[in-house]
Amino acid sequence: MSDLVLTQPASLAIARGNGKRSLRIVQSLCILIIALVMISPLFMLLIASLKDDRFRILADMGSFRAFWVSDPTLSNYKEIAHFSGELAYGRYLFNSLVILVATVVSGLIVNSMAGFVLAWGSLRGKATLLALVVALYVIPQESIIMPLVVMMSRAGLTDTFAVQILPWVASPLYVFLFYQFFAQLPKELYEAAEMDGASAFRIYRSIYMPLSLPALATVSILMGIESWNQYLWPTLVTQTDYARPIAVAIATFFGQDSIYWDRAMAASVLMMIPVLILYLAFQRWFVSSFVGSAVKG
Amino acid sequence: MGNRLLSTIFASAALVATAGFAEAKTVIHVMHQGDPGWVKAYGDVAARFEAANPDVDIEMIYAPHDAYNEKFSAAVMAKQLPDIMELDAPFLANYVWSGYLQAVKPLIDKDLLDDMTDSNIAQGTYPIDKDLYAIGLTDSSVVLYGNKKYLEAIGARIPKSVDDAWTREEFEGYLEKLSKLEGVKWPIDTFRGYGIKTEWITYAYGPLLESAGCDLIDRKTWKASGTLDGEACVKALTMMQDWVKKGWVVPTSSGTNQFYAEGQPAALAMGGHWFYAEASAAMKDNVVVMPLPKIGDKGVSPNGTWIWGISATSENPEIAGKFLSFLLKDKDYREYAKTQSAYPGLKSFAAASPLYAEGGPLAIAFEQASKTAIARPPHPAYPTITSAFMQAVDKIFNGGDAQEALTAAAKKIDEDIEDNAGYPPFDEQQ
């Protein structure tokens, strides 16, 4: 009897343990399959960029050969690494980087200041202003793009870096994000600093900004990706290689009659790298900001 | 210190002088599209022109092909039209009607004008004043490509000239036979993969329908109702829908290379002249070039490509014309165009092109230009005509009712024309 009492739970525990292990294996397998599916286009892109025959790339696309290259070559990368002339992809990459850094840095300053004022500033009609900011967010960019082109051209900004930075520095979404983040911080922080005689700008700069790393990371990544992937706007307002970004330059590979898949793939890989670096640099805070907002919510 | 100050003053003076000199140059803006090869070719011609004309600066403005119209609209709105612009031939009437282009005859070298093929003249001519508003080195056409091995296996007749093109009965009979042939997955690739964002459907399918007695719009009354949704069009599009239903046509999802892809799953391809370079590179001598089939009583083929015009707002039209003449005569530019199997729009270019000259592998394609080419409707409403038509065809190919889709398209076109009061003076063209 005692044996029976002792052995029954043990066998149950083993069975339960086995069950858990099998479940974990199934879960891991599922995750692995999903991960493979998610990563396969990127892998395919990387492999295709190492093939130097655009017809081969096309022919391989529908089969597993798309994931294999027998004689890898960097010739596509060499082809696009020019820094001057109409096909200066190195130059375009540099242009995109300048636009990204300038947009993100100035965007962080402007939007965080606006968010801070909306959260803690002694403004009249703050609620209305906030409602207006949120209302602005629902207006699609495409609907104002043509009037914006006319404005920028009248300001004489066509074909400059400024025309690709200025319109996108202030954004209702990021103002609202900062507002939400600042508003959640304890009121006592502001009051204590104020009692110590700190000005509003000092409180913003020395207390609230250092505390808002997750918000800064989130906005940096979102703004960075948005700026990096801009296509229609720079197409409309840039003319020459002086300020043309990489996204517009890559479109050169997609001609009316033929597509240069080989070089387009190599340029796409190069285009992907800075955004990946940006994400990897900020992802810890980026994730924590999303987790934090979910928990707080 | 004094020396440094002196050299700074001299340097500044030199800079100011250089800036002044740069400002004295006449700047000609040239807006164009194209893949890297063409972009480089245009850039090289511009550099050669600048070297020959030191007082002129050619600024090339690249606009991506798929966003060309948006870029053009932005330039119009911002009043920043370039001096020279590349434009898609069927949009010419709309641009001239809108006042964006000026007649180029007095601005282009006479020997070039005399060298133009009839089809090239047709694509650059505005029907109201019959004046020439654009000129190009090239033109275009669509032919029927065949896989020699498969055609021999079914005993198909290979036409040797435009005059003995396949009839509808022959064409459908061969499609049926090919559908049963081992190794053939689809009898024909009509390049549905180009989608409805390009001009392909109107450009390539339009002539097949015209051959069957249909047209996109009545070219005298400029009314689509009664023509586009008439019996001939409904019958012709039902015929094409039937090909799709029978599984004879490569589906959109399979891309645009099934004719020469691994295993060559498509036996025929209704492709542009530019497709020859890709197909022959992959299939060598196994490619046969044939004229488009005659669906009805007459054969019809498309024409028209990207051509060059001078904007009405250009402050230096003579220099712009001089550059265009220089571009179209440039030897290296022509050499590059040859490597791209560019379809000749100038007689001298045709004669020098081994592909299109008599006996060349694409001679049949060039023969179509003088015998069967019909331009797309040269009307200011063309942007609406093509968009409505392409959406209708797409619906029909995806199983929609032909009559219903064409009636909706015709209505949309007529409404646009009515909204613009008939686009006078087109309303008087009866």
Side-chain angles (χ1 to χ4, degrees):
Chain A
M1 179 69 188
S2 63
D3 276 348
L4 196 68
V5 171
L6 280 173
T7 51
Q8 249 185 352
S11 64
L12 266 178
I14 290 165
R16 229 177 266 148
N18 283 344
K20 265 188 188 169
R21 207 171 302 137
S22 327
L23 188 71
R24 217 173 294 142
I25 291 170
V26 172
Q27 274 178 338
S28 305
L29 266 176
C30 286
I31 291 169
L32 191 73
I33 291 168
I34 292 169
L36 277 177
V37 169
M38 304 268 278
I39 212 160
S40 59
L42 289 181
F43 189 60
M44 197 167 145
L45 171 76
L46 195 66
I47 294 293
S49 74
L50 301 173
K51 298 177 181 175
D52 69 346
D53 181 354
R54 62 192 168 114
F55 299 126
R56 180 84 264 145
I57 293 172
L58 263 182
D60 288 352
M61 241 171 214
S63 68
F64 278 105
R65 281 193 303 273
F67 299 101
W68 177 250
V69 52
S70 49
D71 44 354
T73 169
L74 290 176
S75 62
N76 296 324
Y77 291 93
K78 280 182 198 152
E79 285 269 0
I80 61 170
H82 305 294
F83 283 88
S84 64
E86 284 291 322
L87 305 169
Y89 293 90
R91 163 82 198 198
Y92 302 140
L93 201 61
F94 169 78
N95 289 350
S96 282
L97 278 171
V98 171
I99 294 161
L100 178 135
V101 172
T103 311
V104 170
V105 170
S106 49
L108 287 178
I109 297 169
V110 169
N111 295 310
S112 64
M113 277 186 175
F116 181 75
V117 170
L118 282 172
W120 298 110
S122 46
L123 279 176
R124 237 190 234 168
K126 250 186 350 187
T128 319
L129 214 59
L130 189 67
L132 212 67
V133 168
V134 176
L136 276 177
Y137 177 58
V138 300
I139 299 174
Q141 202 192 85
E142 284 74 16
S143 62
I144 55 158
I145 212 154
M146 278 302 172
L148 208 55
V149 167
V150 177
M151 276 171 68
M152 292 296 145
S153 118
R154 284 194 186 152
L157 290 175
T158 310
D159 207 23
T160 60
F161 284 101
V163 77
Q164 296 174 80
I165 299 163
L166 283 177
W168 318 117
V169 168
S171 155
L173 172 68
Y174 305 133
V175 170
F176 187 71
L177 260 173
F178 274 114
Y179 160 80
Q180 254 200 329
F181 191 85
F182 290 140
Q184 279 167 2
L185 292 173
K187 200 181 173 189
E188 290 75 21
L189 265 178
Y190 191 92
E191 286 171 350
E194 206 176 25
M195 278 175 72
D196 284 344
S199 66
F201 182 70
R202 182 80 197 272
I203 298 171
Y204 154 80
R205 199 196 61 190
S206 307
I207 300 172
Y208 279 75
M209 281 305 267
L211 286 173
S212 58
L213 267 181
L216 287 170
T218 310
V219 172
S220 297
I221 289 175
L222 293 179
M223 241 186 152
I225 292 172
E226 205 180 321
S227 157
W228 194 253
N229 292 338
Q230 281 268 14
Y231 173 69
L232 186 61
W233 178 249
T235 300
L236 301 181
V237 293
T238 60
Q239 310 278 42
T240 61
D241 61 344
Y242 171 70
R244 186 183 301 156
I246 185 83
V248 179
I250 285 181
T252 332
F253 296 123
F254 298 85
Q256 182 192 11
D257 307 330
S258 51
I259 299 173
Y260 288 71
W261 288 109
D262 43 2
R263 287 179 239 175
M265 297 290 176
S268 303
V269 170
L270 290 183
M271 187 177 163
M272 217 168 58
I273 291 169
V275 187
L276 273 181
I277 292 173
L278 186 79
Y279 176 74
L280 290 175
F282 289 107
Q283 58 106 12
R284 195 157 59 92
W285 297 295
F286 183 65
V287 172
S288 74
S289 116
F290 273 109
V291 173
S293 52
V295 172
K296 276 168 200 158
Chain B
M1 184 69 193
N3 278 347
R4 197 183 289 174
L5 185 68
L6 207 63
S7 57
T8 311
I9 292 168
F10 273 125
S12 309
L15 264 175
V16 169
T18 319
F21 178 71
E23 273 168 20
K25 277 191 175 186
T26 306
V27 181
I28 298 290
H29 296 93
V30 183
M31 191 163 109
H32 66 96
Q33 48 95 51
D35 61 35
W38 288 107
V39 172
K40 188 177 178 311
Y42 300 147
D44 290 348
V45 177
R48 285 192 284 275
F49 184 79
E50 284 171 346
N53 301 272
D55 53 337
V56 180
D57 193 4
I58 302 289
E59 197 163 280
M60 303 301 289
I61 302 171
Y62 167 73
H65 175 72
D66 64 343
Y68 197 87
N69 286 334
E70 285 78 5
K71 174 98 183 171
F72 180 75
S73 305
V76 169
M77 289 192 81
K79 293 184 180 152
Q80 283 183 340
L81 270 183
D83 299 272
I84 297 171
M85 70 174 107
E86 206 182 8
L87 62 130
D88 202 358
F91 288 73
L92 182 118
N94 183 286
Y95 289 178
V96 180
W97 184 82
S98 303
Y100 302 145
L101 294 177
Q102 58 177 295
V104 293
K105 244 184 206 164
L107 307 169
I108 303 289
D109 290 357
K110 196 176 172 302
D111 55 333
L112 269 176
L113 296 173
D114 295 340
D115 198 19
M116 289 173 78
T117 61
D118 291 345
S119 175
N120 194 1
I121 293 170
Q123 67 174 333
T125 303
Y126 183 57
I128 295 298
D129 56 15
K130 310 269 187 296
D131 217 336
L132 190 72
Y133 283 82
I135 176 170
L137 172 70
T138 59
D139 199 336
S140 72
S141 194
V142 169
V143 286
L144 195 63
Y145 293 95
N147 181 313
K148 202 192 234 171
K149 198 176 66 188
Y150 293 144
L151 292 179
E152 280 171 358
I154 60 162
R157 179 178 70 86
I158 311 287
K160 295 279 178 263
S161 99
V162 173
D163 302 324
D164 59 345
W166 284 348
T167 61
R168 177 181 171 177
E169 289 69 32
E170 278 181 296
F171 182 54
E172 289 193 322
Y174 294 145
L175 289 177
E176 172 119 51
K177 279 184 183 170
L178 287 167
S179 69
K180 290 169 189 156
L181 191 70
E182 200 181 325
V184 176
K185 194 172 175 188
W186 298 285
I188 188 166
D189 191 348
T190 60
F191 295 89
R192 290 183 62 197
Y194 284 140
I196 56 169
K197 283 197 168 174
T198 68
E199 263 286 286
W200 181 250
I201 289 179
T202 310
Y203 169 71
Y205 300 175
L208 272 194
L209 304 177
E210 282 171 49
S211 174
C214 159
D215 205 346
L216 276 68
I217 190 165
D218 185 309
R219 300 192 190 212
K220 282 186 181 146
T221 62
W222 296 117
K223 286 230 176 312
S225 296
T227 301
L228 182 56
D229 58 352
E231 202 190 335
C233 283
V234 175
K235 266 190 180 171
L237 268 155
T238 309
M239 166 194 76
M240 289 186 85
Q241 186 187 49
D242 196 40
W243 299 347
V244 175
K245 277 185 185 166
K246 284 177 173 157
W248 290 352
V249 180
V250 174
T252 314
S253 55
S254 293
T256 57
N257 66 325
Q258 296 306 312
F259 182 66
Y260 62 80
E262 188 90 3
Q264 294 156 10
L268 297 167
M270 205 179 88
H273 65 271
W274 57 88
F275 182 67
Y276 178 77
E278 297 176 8
S280 68
M283 295 167 65
K284 309 284 183 274
D285 291 341
N286 200 26
V287 185
V288 183
V289 179
M290 299 173 285
L292 283 179
K294 240 190 279 179
I295 302 297
D297 299 337
K298 54 171 185 176
V300 179
S301 64
N303 79 329
T305 188
W306 287 74
I307 43 182
W308 302 95
I310 296 173
S311 69
T313 52
S314 173
E315 287 173 7
N316 301 290
E318 283 80 19
I319 302 174
K322 198 175 159 191
F323 174 70
L324 269 190
S325 301
F326 185 90
L327 170 80
L328 299 183
K329 285 180 189 173
D330 188 88
K331 243 171 90 181
D332 291 339
Y333 171 54
R334 287 189 178 201
E335 279 308 313
Y336 178 73
K338 263 193 230 168
T339 65
Q340 299 301 299
S341 61
Y343 191 96
L346 298 176
K347 290 168 208 159
S348 59
F349 181 49
S353 171
L355 278 179
Y356 296 94
E358 220 176 306
L362 282 171
I364 275 189
F366 192 57
E367 193 189 341
Q368 287 188 151
S370 55
K371 289 186 174 168
T372 57
I374 293 183
R376 282 158 278 178
H379 191 273
Y382 182 76
T384 309
I385 297 173
T386 182
S387 142
F389 174 68
M390 287 197 293
Q391 281 169 18
V393 174
D394 193 49
K395 254 186 215 161
I396 295 165
F397 276 19
N398 288 313
D401 181 71
Q403 181 72 67
E404 206 176 287
L406 290 172
T407 303
K411 205 175 150 209
K412 202 169 165 188
I413 295 165
D414 286 345
E415 272 171 9
D416 176 77
I417 293 173
E418 270 169 40
D419 287 348
N420 289 281
Y423 288 96
F426 277 82
D427 57 340
E428 291 155 17
Q429 297 282 301
Q430 299 273 334

